[in-house]
Protein backbone atom coordinates (compact mmCIF):
# COMPACT_ATOMS: atom_id res chain seq x y z
CA UNK A 1 0.00 0.00 0.00
CA UNK A 2 2.78 2.43 0.88
CA UNK A 3 5.03 1.79 -2.14
CA UNK A 4 2.50 0.97 -4.89
CA UNK A 5 -0.16 3.26 -3.49
CA UNK A 6 0.90 6.42 -1.73
CA UNK A 7 4.51 6.69 -2.93
CA UNK A 8 3.82 5.69 -6.53
CA UNK A 9 0.93 8.15 -6.87
CA UNK A 10 2.99 10.98 -5.37
CA UNK A 11 6.02 10.26 -7.56
CA UNK A 12 3.99 9.75 -10.75
CA UNK A 13 2.34 13.13 -10.27
CA UNK A 14 5.77 14.78 -10.03
CA UNK A 15 8.03 12.87 -12.43
CA UNK A 16 5.64 10.81 -14.57
CA UNK A 17 4.49 7.21 -14.38
CA UNK A 18 7.64 5.55 -15.74
CA UNK A 19 10.04 7.33 -13.42
CA UNK A 20 7.54 7.02 -10.57
CA UNK A 21 7.46 3.23 -10.99
CA UNK A 22 11.27 3.10 -11.12
CA UNK A 23 11.73 5.34 -8.08
CA UNK A 24 9.21 3.44 -5.95
CA UNK A 25 10.87 0.17 -7.00
CA UNK A 26 14.26 1.44 -5.86
CA UNK A 27 12.74 2.46 -2.53
CA UNK A 28 11.05 -0.96 -2.29
CA UNK A 29 14.38 -2.66 -2.93
CA UNK A 30 16.24 -0.60 -0.34
CA UNK A 31 13.43 -1.26 2.14
CA UNK A 32 14.06 -4.98 1.71
CA UNK A 33 17.83 -4.84 2.30
CA UNK A 34 17.48 -7.02 5.40
CA UNK A 35 14.90 -9.39 3.91
CA UNK A 36 15.50 -12.71 2.23
CA UNK A 37 17.99 -12.95 0.65
CA UNK A 38 19.73 -10.15 2.56
CA UNK A 39 22.08 -7.55 1.14
CA UNK A 40 22.64 -6.37 -2.40
CA UNK A 41 21.12 -9.42 -4.04
CA UNK A 42 17.94 -9.05 -2.00
CA UNK A 43 17.69 -5.36 -2.87
CA UNK A 44 18.11 -6.05 -6.59
CA UNK A 45 15.54 -8.86 -6.51
CA UNK A 46 13.06 -6.83 -4.48
CA UNK A 47 13.64 -3.76 -6.67
CA UNK A 48 12.99 -5.79 -9.81
CA UNK A 49 9.86 -7.20 -8.21
CA UNK A 50 8.91 -3.65 -7.23
CA UNK A 51 8.97 -2.64 -10.90
CA UNK A 52 6.65 -5.54 -11.73
CA UNK A 53 4.29 -4.64 -8.89
CA UNK A 54 4.31 -0.98 -9.95
CA UNK A 55 3.50 -1.89 -13.55
CA UNK A 56 0.76 -4.24 -12.33
CA UNK A 57 -0.65 -1.37 -10.25
CA UNK A 58 -0.67 0.94 -13.27
CA UNK A 59 -2.24 -1.66 -15.56
CA UNK A 60 -5.02 -2.62 -13.16
CA UNK A 61 -5.62 0.83 -11.68
CA UNK A 62 -5.89 -0.54 -8.18
CA UNK A 63 -3.98 -2.12 -5.33
CA UNK A 64 -5.75 -5.49 -5.27
CA UNK A 65 -3.64 -7.28 -7.87
CA UNK A 66 -0.24 -6.08 -6.57
CA UNK A 67 -1.32 -6.90 -3.02
CA UNK A 68 -2.33 -10.44 -3.96
CA UNK A 69 0.93 -10.90 -5.91
CA UNK A 70 2.94 -9.69 -2.90
CA UNK A 71 1.11 -12.00 -0.49
CA UNK A 72 1.73 -14.97 -2.82
CA UNK A 73 5.42 -14.08 -3.12
CA UNK A 74 5.77 -13.73 0.66
CA UNK A 75 4.03 -17.08 1.20
CA UNK A 76 6.35 -18.74 -1.33
CA UNK A 77 9.46 -17.27 0.31
CA UNK A 78 8.17 -18.34 3.73
CA UNK A 79 7.75 -21.95 2.60
CA UNK A 80 11.18 -21.97 0.94
CA UNK A 81 12.80 -20.78 4.17
CA UNK A 82 10.80 -23.24 6.31
CA UNK A 83 11.64 -26.15 4.01
CA UNK A 84 15.36 -25.27 4.19
CA UNK A 85 15.43 -25.51 7.99
Amino acid sequence: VIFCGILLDALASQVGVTWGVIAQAVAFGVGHAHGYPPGDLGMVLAGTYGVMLGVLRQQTGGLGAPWIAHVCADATIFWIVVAAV
Side-chain angles (χ1 to χ4, degrees):
V1 172
I2 293 171
F3 292 100
C4 280
I6 298 166
L7 185 59
L8 180 53
D9 285 346
L11 290 166
S13 72
Q14 298 300 308
V15 297
V17 173
T18 300
W19 286 108
V21 167
I22 292 168
Q24 69 82 28
V26 169
F28 188 77
V30 170
H32 286 78
H34 299 289
Y36 183 80
D40 292 342
L41 177 60
M43 289 191 295
V44 169
L45 292 173
T48 301
Y49 191 58
V51 169
M52 291 187 277
L53 291 175
V55 169
L56 186 59
R57 163 56 158 72
Q58 291 302 311
Q59 289 181 345
T60 63
L63 291 171
W67 181 80
I68 290 169
H70 193 280
V71 167
C72 290
D74 283 352
T76 301
I77 292 166
F78 173 80
W79 287 112
I80 290 169
V81 170
V82 167
V85 173

